[in-house]
């Protein structure tokens, strides 16, 4: 729809988790109104407008990290989660407590924690995408690298 109307768009995701999850949903809910077929989902994730940030990071850059997980890379682009102990494993425990803990207050606290954690995951991807964009702009021919003071206000003169 966007390309037919001559709008530019990109959809970013991080690793194969999203395509796999969407394929499973298409299979689980096959035939229901508004649910794309498995083939539709597969074709969608092949579009040039759909970009896996993880692939870009591992195929085009070298990182000084033990892994190229979202949490590790986000640290290098100066993003941090609000939660003191973010992680996929922890989020599973939070989910369990959000849906089945006997105390309503604990359920609500875990729902809020999950919402913030997932929001931070998305915001981390935006931070990485924006960092990659700035890196790409700095590498354009004829364009100077930005001064360090423009990249991080900690280095600017006071």
């Amino acid at each position: 729809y966007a390309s037919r109307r001559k709008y530019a768009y990109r959809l970013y995701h991080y690793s194969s988790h999203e395509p796999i999850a969407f394929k499973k949903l298409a299979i689980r809910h096959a035939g229901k109104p508004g649910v794309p077929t498995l083939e539709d989902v597969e074709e969608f994730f092949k579009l040039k407008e759909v970009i896996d940030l993880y692939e870009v990071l591992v195929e085009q850059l070298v990182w000084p990290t033990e892994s190229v997980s979202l949490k590790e890379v986000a640290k290098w682009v100066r993003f941090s989660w609000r939660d003191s102990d973010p992680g996929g494993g922890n989020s599973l425990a939070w989910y369990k407590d959000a849906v089945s803990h006997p105390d309503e207050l604990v359920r609500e606290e875990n729902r809020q924690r999950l919402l913030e954690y997932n929001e931070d995951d998305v915001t981390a991807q935006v931070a990485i995408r924006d960092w990659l964009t700035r890196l790409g702009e700095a590498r354009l021919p004829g364009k100077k690298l930005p001064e360090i003071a423009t990249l991080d206000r900690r280095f600017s003169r006071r």
Side-chain angles (χ1 to χ4, degrees):
Y1 175 79
S3 59
R4 283 188 306 225
R5 300 206 48 184
K6 299 188 182 190
Y7 295 126
Y9 75 97
R10 295 288 183 271
L11 181 130
Y12 296 89
H13 64 94
Y14 201 90
S15 78
S16 60
H17 174 76
E18 284 83 2
I20 290 169
F22 275 89
K23 288 176 190 178
K24 286 179 180 179
L25 288 169
I27 292 167
R28 183 181 311 145
H29 300 286
K32 292 181 182 174
V35 175
T37 65
L38 176 60
E39 294 77 23
D40 290 339
V41 172
E42 289 172 338
E43 288 302 312
F44 176 77
F45 280 99
K46 289 179 186 173
L47 293 172
K48 66 180 173 128
E49 294 85 4
V50 178
I51 300 163
D52 183 346
L53 284 173
Y54 178 83
E55 285 184 14
V56 172
L57 296 174
V58 298
E59 292 176 8
Q60 299 182 24
L61 299 166
V62 176
W63 291 88
T65 58
E66 290 185 26
S67 76
V68 190
S69 72
L70 182 62
K71 307 300 182 288
E72 286 291 319
V73 174
K75 290 177 194 174
W76 284 91
V77 301
R78 301 207 172 139
F79 180 84
S80 59
W81 276 251
R82 287 174 276 184
D83 198 277
S84 61
D85 195 17
N90 288 343
S91 71
L92 294 175
W94 304 332
Y95 177 80
K96 182 181 176 197
D97 284 342
V99 297
S100 63
H101 196 280
D103 184 338
E104 174 60 31
L105 182 60
V106 172
R107 288 195 307 271
E108 186 54 39
E109 287 171 353
N110 280 281
R111 288 182 196 124
Q112 186 61 37
R113 193 173 191 184
L114 277 169
L115 286 171
E116 289 177 2
Y117 169 75
N118 286 319
E119 181 182 341
D120 286 351
D121 268 3
V122 172
T123 306
Q125 290 180 54
V126 171
I128 292 168
R129 184 209 57 203
D130 290 349
W131 183 88
L132 286 168
T133 299
R134 289 189 308 273
L135 178 66
E137 289 168 351
R139 297 183 69 207
L140 290 174
K143 189 163 183 166
K144 293 182 183 177
L145 286 172
E147 294 180 25
I148 193 72
T150 64
L151 298 176
D152 189 336
R153 64 182 174 185
R154 291 181 304 157
F155 297 108
S156 64
R157 295 180 190 221
R158 297 176 198 247

